[in-house]
Structures are given as C-alpha cells and as structure tokens.
Amino acid sequence: MAKLTILIALVVALVLVVHTSAFRSSEQSCKRQLQQVNLRHCENHIAQKIQQQQEEEEGHVRTLRGIKHFILRDQSSQESEDLDQCCEQLNELNSQRCQCRALQQIYESQSEQCEGRQQEQQLEGELEKLPKTCGFGPLRRCNVNPEEN
C-alpha cells in the first residue's frame, strides 16, 4: 500500500512538472510573438473608434440643442486598412491567452492617453469587441484591463 501511495505521488509530481514546464514554454513563446507583432494598427483603429463615438455623442448633444444637421463620417480607407492589419496581426498570435496579452498591451499603451473614466470604459469596450470584429470570436476569461485582474 505504501508503494502504491509513493507511485501515485510520483506520477502526480511528474504531471505537475510537465504542466509547469509547458506553461512556461507557452509564456515564453507568447512574449516572443508579442515582440514580433506590430500592434500600432490596432491602437490606431481603437483610437479612431473612440474618437468616432465622441463625435457622435457631441453630435447628439448639438441635435438636442436645436441644431438639426448631423453628419456621420464614413469609415475611411485608412480606418479599414488599420482594422485589416490589426486583425491580421492578432490572428498571427497562436493562442487566445497570447491574443489576450496583446489586447492588454494595447490597453496599457492607450489608457495613458484617456481623459477620464468614460474614455477608459470606451477603450475597454472596443478592445473586448475587437476579437469578434476580426472574426475569431470573444476571448474567454480575458480582462483587457490588466489592473482589474
């Protein structure tokens, strides 16, 4: 009985070592991928989306004050190119965990430019929508704001 207990303990320890080693390897792979990927297009796309939201909100306020005309901007070819490039870069990352890390990096770099909590919430919302916009669905258990983890 003691030999069986020791054998089970050794198997459990071996599984834990293999799992930990695989996790570390995955983390290192993700770090390398994130260094190679250019997230500038994602940052540009998100900044443009937030700016559009603000322009639309300001437009609604003006409409409420009696100004009848409100012009929405069409999505420019640059905005479309930024989104396409962004999606391509995110799709190159080989795991959802690594894609989540990329979104967190974008949050960290963009949140410094936010003016108030409302813009930070808009940033979070746009980043959470981005995987679905790119066609690979929402990321499970990904909090784009790493400060809330």
Side-chain angles (χ1 to χ4, degrees):
M1 186 67 170
K3 289 181 182 180
L4 181 61
T5 303
I6 292 172
L7 181 62
I8 291 172
L10 286 173
V11 169
V12 168
L14 181 62
V15 168
L16 286 173
V17 167
V18 169
H19 179 72
T20 302
S21 175
F23 180 77
R24 283 186 187 141
S25 175
S26 171
E27 288 295 307
Q28 291 300 321
S29 172
C30 181
K31 284 181 183 179
R32 279 193 304 275
Q33 289 177 52
L34 288 173
Q35 289 171 348
Q36 294 171 350
V37 77
N38 181 356
L39 299 174
R40 181 180 47 84
H41 295 287
C42 294
E43 292 173 355
N44 291 344
H45 170 73
I46 296 298
Q48 290 163 354
K49 293 295 283 183
I50 291 172
Q51 183 179 358
Q52 276 181 329
Q53 287 176 2
Q54 289 176 332
E55 288 173 1
E56 289 173 13
E57 288 171 9
E58 289 171 8
H60 290 297
V61 169
R62 284 190 211 121
T63 301
L64 292 173
R65 291 183 181 158
I67 297 174
K68 302 280 185 196
H69 54 88
F70 176 65
I71 300 170
L72 283 175
R73 285 188 322 166
D74 289 332
Q75 185 179 24
S76 72
S77 61
Q78 180 62 44
E79 288 175 285
S80 180
E81 185 178 318
D82 280 333
L83 177 59
D84 291 344
Q85 291 289 323
C86 173
C87 293
E88 192 174 302
Q89 293 292 314
L90 289 176
N91 274 318
E92 286 182 16
L93 302 173
N94 68 359
S95 70
Q96 283 195 350
R97 171 176 268 144
C98 200
Q99 289 169 341
C100 181
R101 293 263 195 283
L103 296 179
Q104 289 172 339
Q105 276 189 2
I106 295 167
Y107 179 87
E108 288 173 351
S109 69
Q110 295 288 96
S111 65
E112 296 169 0
Q113 300 164 20
C114 288
E115 298 173 4
R117 184 64 189 144
Q118 182 181 2
Q119 280 189 0
E120 286 181 14
Q121 289 172 334
Q122 288 174 322
L123 174 60
E124 286 180 48
E126 289 300 325
L127 285 169
E128 288 168 357
K129 288 190 285 188
L130 192 56
K132 189 173 182 181
T133 302
C134 289
F136 51 88
L139 300 178
R140 288 177 284 159
R141 290 178 274 162
C142 177
N143 189 349
V144 297
N145 181 350
E147 295 170 6
E148 293 181 357
N149 283 337

